């Protein structure tokens, strides 16, 4: 009997801890509360393959893909040392007051740093993203594709 009484506190602790194990993959970023002008651009919905970086064509082992599902969530597909990797992303759009276009996208990567960049379309199938960093202006061109090939 004494042994069972000692196990009850341990059992109670386990019952409190175990339900939270399901939350290990919980990831739900949101725009900052002060950003009341965000929206999801339906023109982004779908799968985009990186085609050019600063006017240079992208080699097969440097390509990445972004899938935007239309409601602020998506997936980033990329190569890391030759291995195919994926991570979730969250995104929201805003009107831009500076930069190369009147639109900007804010992307929060599950495992990477958030990014903010201007974006525009030169046609229905070509997405341009541009931002400035310590190396200068970076311009990425993505082409619309039906699905990620892997």
């Amino acid at each position: 009997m004494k042994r069972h009484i000692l196990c009850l506190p341990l059992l109670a602790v386990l019952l409190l801890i175990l339900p939270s194990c399901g939350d290990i993959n919980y990831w739900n970023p949101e725009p900052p509360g002060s950003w009341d002008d965000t929206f999801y651009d339906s023109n982004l919905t779908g799968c985009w393959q990186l085609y050019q970086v600063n006017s240079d064509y992208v080699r097969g082992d440097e390509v990445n893909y972004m899938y935007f599902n239309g409601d602020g969530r998506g997936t980033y597909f990329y190569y890391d040392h030759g291995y195919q990797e994926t991570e979730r992303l969250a995104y929201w759009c805003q009107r831009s007051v500076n930069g190369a276009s009147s639109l900007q996208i804010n992307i929060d990567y599950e495992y990477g740093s958030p990014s903010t960049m201007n974006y525009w379309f030169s046609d229905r199938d070509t997405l341009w993203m541009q931002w400035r960093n310590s190396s200068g202006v970076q311009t990425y061109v993505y082409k619309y594709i039906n699905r990620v090939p892997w």
Side-chain angles (χ1 to χ4, degrees), residues 8-23:
L8 285 177
L10 178 60
L11 181 62
V13 169
L14 285 174
L15 288 174
L16 289 173
I17 293 172
L18 288 178
S20 67
C21 290
D23 293 337

Side-chain angles (χ1 to χ4, degrees), residues 66-115:
M66 283 196 282
Y67 171 73
F68 300 105
N69 69 3
D71 67 356
R73 296 294 181 263
T75 308
Y76 179 50
F77 302 84
Y78 60 98
Y79 287 99
D80 183 19
H81 297 91
Y83 294 98
Q84 298 170 345
E85 301 287 344
T86 62
E87 65 183 89
R88 294 179 289 185
L89 63 82
Y91 68 96
W92 48 92
C93 304
Q94 293 178 282
R95 298 280 172 212
S96 177
V97 294
N98 58 9
S101 76
S102 62
L103 297 170
Q104 75 179 30
I105 186 169
N106 306 280
I107 301 176
D108 195 352
Y109 300 92
E110 183 177 14
Y111 303 119
S113 299
S115 298

